Amino acid sequence: MSFANFPMGSISSKPFSPLDLSPYIWVRADDVTITSGVLVDSMNDKSGNSRDLAQTSTNRPDLLTADAGFNDQDAVDFNPQESLVLASLTLAQPFTVFAAIRANTWTTNKRLFDLNSSNATLMIANKDGASTPNVIQGVTVPNEVNAVSMTVGTEFLLTSVFDGASASQQLNNNTAVTGGSTGTTALNKIQLANRTDNATGADVTIAELIIIPSAVTGDDLASMQGYFNARYSFW
């Protein structure tokens, strides 16, 4: 077959978008609803599924515009007792959580994300009882698995695959930690920076969260991590 009659540039590949992987939810700090100038009422879902994360109390996180740590992109800053929530949903494992995040301080057993309406199940949290900062996946406390070591005050991409015995966690493009199982517990709630009873709030800043309803691996994983790094310059 001859390509002699094809004009230059007529064959091209479409740039990757997270929408290519049909996200369950995709929220980013440049698409929020605010009041009083900087108080975030909701992070609006970019996936097309209308799964906005909204505040449920008077304690609203702050919008940080052009945060230098996130490559001058916007971010949402949570102090303890501030949270954004989406309830009444069901997503069975496997699924993959991608988050552009910074832990501003570190205290054990603080929830970065709660993924189930039961307080002690299915979370991503600061490891309980650890002497150094670690982020864990957990199904029940203290059955915490796949801990990855983080640096407080530094922005990073967290990739967390919930897939039973094949679960894994990864910071940036480092080697993933595997070996611990997240069982079969389904995601039925998304709560940023706190637990369902608001008892374990974390001091974190979050620029973006994407949940893909599958275990993301291979070229798709490389594309997602490349998307985050191009936007936030993590490595």
Side-chain angles (χ1 to χ4, degrees):
M1 179 178 180
S2 172
F3 292 90
N5 294 324
F6 282 79
M8 292 296 293
S10 64
I11 302 174
S12 63
S13 59
K14 184 182 72 172
F16 174 80
S17 165
L19 292 174
D20 295 341
L21 300 186
S22 301
Y24 186 76
I25 183 173
W26 175 14
V27 293
R28 200 168 68 189
D30 65 347
D31 189 356
V32 299
T33 301
I34 61 174
T35 57
S36 301
V38 297
L39 300 180
V40 177
D41 285 329
S42 66
M43 296 181 75
N44 304 317
D45 185 15
K46 301 170 71 66
S47 74
N49 295 318
S50 300
R51 296 188 172 110
D52 300 344
L53 293 170
Q55 62 85 23
T56 58
S57 71
T58 57
N59 298 320
R60 296 173 175 86
D62 295 332
L63 178 65
L64 303 179
T65 57
D67 187 298
F70 288 102
N71 197 31
D72 292 329
Q73 303 292 339
D74 294 349
V76 178
D77 188 49
F78 296 84
N79 291 317
Q81 308 312 313
E82 296 173 348
S83 187
L84 294 173
V85 180
L86 175 65
S88 302
L89 51 115
T90 301
L91 179 62
Q93 296 192 44
F95 58 86
T96 306
V97 178
F98 295 90
I101 189 168
R102 176 178 66 229
N104 300 308
T105 60
W106 181 78
T107 308
T108 63
N109 197 23
K110 297 296 184 181
R111 303 300 169 80
L112 307 182
F113 308 97
D114 225 9
L115 303 175
N116 191 279
S117 57
S118 177
N119 284 330
T121 66
L122 210 65
M123 70 251 178
I124 301 173
N126 290 347
K127 184 172 175 60
D128 190 19
S131 59
T132 57
N134 286 285
V135 179
I136 54 92
Q137 293 172 301
V139 180
T140 58
V141 177
N143 296 324
E144 304 160 338
V145 298
N146 300 334
V148 289
S149 179
M150 67 176 176
T151 301
V152 175
T154 298
E155 301 74 20
F156 55 87
L157 169 63
L158 176 69
T159 303
S160 189
V161 180
F162 287 79
D163 189 16
S166 299
S168 66
Q169 276 211 129
Q170 185 178 10
L171 286 189
N172 293 335
N173 60 344
N174 299 331
T175 301
V177 177
T178 62
S181 175
T182 53
T184 59
T185 303
L187 179 154
N188 68 11
K189 182 178 186 178
I190 302 170
Q191 184 154 353
L192 303 190
N194 215 322
R195 196 172 74 171
T196 293
D197 61 3
N198 295 318
T200 55
D203 178 13
V204 297
T205 302
I206 299 170
E208 188 163 357
L209 171 74
I210 302 175
I211 299 179
I212 304 296
S214 64
V216 180
T217 60
D219 290 344
D220 288 339
L221 178 61
S223 294
M224 280 293 288
Q225 292 179 337
Y227 158 79
F228 274 93
N229 192 46
R231 182 170 180 83
Y232 300 107
S233 193
F234 286 133
W235 61 86

